Amino acid sequence: MDTRVFHLEPGSSESASAYREVAALLSDGQLVALPTETVYGLAADAMNEHAVAEVFAVKERPHFDPLICHLPDARAIETIAEVPADVQKLVSRLAENFWPGPMTLILPRKSCVPDIVTSGLPTVACRVPQHEVMRGVAKVLGRPIAAPSANRFGHISPTSAAAVQKELGGRIPLIVDAGACSEGLESTILRPCLDEKGKPAVEILRQGPITVERIREICRVLKPTKAAQENPVAPGQLPSHYAPSKPLFLHDPKKDFTPQVGIRYGLISYRGDSPLAEQECWQHIISLSPGSGRLAEAAVRLFAVMRTMDEREDVDQIVAEELPETGLGRAMMDRLRRAAAANTLPNPA
Ligand code: TXA
Ligand code: MG
């Protein structure tokens, strides 16, 4: 299959007709890669189980890993989810503060949502993205769009149309290219619940661009229980994920690294000025946020930099500096740990 790439400037005069064209393809059961502010998604009409089955096939994704439904606005959650009365106010406040944006809420599902979307779970993942293209298409389609990240299962999520082309080129008819993603990390996944005193709270199922610090301004954040960590409620949170094809190791930027003879190493440095980056052993160094070090800049670049290192012919193995675990640093360390875990665990793909 030939994969067509369609360049689109969001908000331009062509966007309305482009949204109609994409919505028509989705209505017809086809798959289209669409940009969001976090990563590119592989979109299907969520109410068409054949199209959703094709998403799993194209991604080589196991069926136990459910998909996120993208909606045009917060009111549309009523079409697929039942918001329990005791968390209704909390859900409204989260929606007012973080939607449209990189937040996904796990809520009890309505029966109209096909089982294949939720992997048979009693809940459904709802997100109102910031990106005009995904939201615009969902509005024209008039149904939720099921869209996982547009990569093959276990691989690094794509933050550009070129990365989608490398992951899924030849497998899907169309990629809508609206430039690089502005956040660069997948959405924060929250499960509204009640704490031990019966007060509304949330559990963070996946760290992401909306940080725990910002969520705490709205409500209590419950610590995940040990059982939940060992048996994640977001089934896609496998220990090994986001993996480059080369081995990747995490290393303390203040400590010496001992290279093995005959192996050519690439370093992913945070600011490029650490004692680790000063060592002579690196074939190639890429800094996530050169100089001053800004976590937001590092987050936007992380997946693209991992890809670049993976593709370099002069690098055999990748060393990534541990990042400060505050704010966005938590979500980045979560992704890097999973990428590093691929060295010790069988690859999920
Ligand atoms: O930013 C994002 O969230 C991107 C863009 C495209 O929106 N999407 C994305 O989708 O990252 P995906 O499929 O790569 O990750 C979705 C995660 C998986 O870990 C899945 O297990 C979890 O959401 N999930 C989906 N439905 C769930 C549910 N009902 N309960 C718990 N976790 C769920
Ligand atoms: Mg993914």
Side-chain angles (χ1 to χ4, degrees):
M1 178 188 299
D2 272 346
T3 300
R4 185 160 65 100
V5 179
F6 183 94
H7 297 267
L8 182 63
E9 192 62 53
S12 67
S13 53
E14 302 97 70
S15 47
S17 65
Y19 299 167
R20 280 197 298 275
E21 190 189 327
V22 174
L25 282 173
L26 295 176
S27 245
D28 186 42
Q30 303 202 46
L31 309 188
V32 181
L34 294 177
T36 82
E37 71 279 20
T38 57
V39 301
Y40 273 71
L42 177 59
D45 176 350
M47 295 300 167
N48 179 338
E49 30 188 35
H50 298 290
V52 176
E54 189 62 18
V55 168
F56 283 92
V58 161
K59 266 188 71 103
E60 299 165 35
R61 175 172 171 132
H63 282 259
F64 62 74
D65 194 1
L67 307 183
I68 295 175
C69 288
H70 297 72
L71 303 159
D73 53 50
R75 261 172 309 148
I77 57 179
E78 288 171 13
T79 59
I80 53 171
E82 211 71 74
V83 183
D86 45 15
V87 294
Q88 219 151 41
K89 273 201 187 126
L90 171 65
V91 167
S92 299
R93 291 189 57 207
L94 289 167
E96 276 159 29
N97 280 275
F98 302 128
W99 275 346
M103 172 183 73
T104 296
L105 292 182
I106 305 297
L107 293 165
R109 71 188 261 205
K110 284 198 166 152
S111 58
C112 59
V113 184
D115 268 339
I116 188 165
V117 173
T118 67
S119 301
L121 291 175
T123 51
V124 59
C126 307
R127 162 155 135 81
V128 179
Q130 176 85 61
H131 203 289
E132 275 187 47
V133 172
M134 182 63 98
R135 217 154 19 98
V137 174
K139 194 163 183 188
V140 177
L141 180 68
R143 289 189 292 280
I145 293 178
S149 50
N151 52 279
R152 277 171 283 150
F153 185 66
H155 288 202
I156 305 168
S157 299
T159 53
S160 66
V164 178
Q165 179 70 266
K166 282 184 191 141
E167 287 288 324
L168 302 179
R171 299 183 181 200
I172 54 173
L174 180 66
I175 300 172
V176 176
D177 179 359
C181 303
S182 60
E183 298 284 352
L185 294 174
E186 304 87 345
S187 61
T188 305
I189 304 183
L190 301 178
R191 189 160 70 99
C193 56
L194 298 177
D195 69 8
E196 63 289 348
K197 292 192 183 127
K199 289 221 173 100
V202 294
E203 246 173 36
I204 301 183
L205 303 190
R206 179 172 73 185
Q207 303 276 352
I210 311 275
T211 58
V212 65
E213 289 85 349
R214 288 176 67 196
I215 300 163
R216 280 205 191 107
E217 289 171 16
I218 310 286
C219 65
R220 205 175 144 205
V221 175
L222 298 187
K223 287 220 164 63
T225 58
K226 200 152 182 276
Q229 275 171 326
E230 279 160 12
N231 189 7
V233 218
Q237 293 296 81
L238 292 173
S240 163
H241 214 106
Y242 313 104
S245 60
K246 293 171 187 168
L248 180 144
F249 302 92
L250 273 166
H251 199 81
D252 182 338
K254 293 194 279 313
K255 290 202 179 131
D256 250 16
F257 175 74
T258 315
Q260 277 183 42
V261 181
I263 294 180
R264 298 165 305 168
Y265 293 95
L267 177 70
I268 299 179
S269 175
Y270 177 33
R271 303 190 313 200
D273 61 358
S274 61
L276 187 65
E278 305 290 312
Q279 279 188 237
E280 300 277 305
C281 58
W282 310 115
Q283 190 74 26
H284 190 68
I285 301 180
I286 307 181
S287 303
L288 292 171
S289 179
S292 54
R294 282 178 49 240
L295 287 170
E297 183 185 19
V300 170
R301 286 168 39 79
L302 178 66
F303 287 153
V305 166
M306 280 164 74
R307 257 176 208 285
T308 305
M309 277 297 189
D310 207 21
E311 284 164 9
R312 281 191 73 99
E313 283 179 6
D314 58 351
V315 168
D316 304 317
Q317 296 194 3
I318 306 168
V319 175
E321 284 182 3
E322 286 166 0
L323 299 165
E325 282 197 74
T326 56
L328 285 169
R330 274 196 208 92
M332 281 187 275
M333 280 299 284
D334 167 73
R335 306 307 190 267
L336 284 169
R337 284 202 184 93
R338 289 176 210 277
N343 303 331
T344 48
L345 293 161
N347 194 301

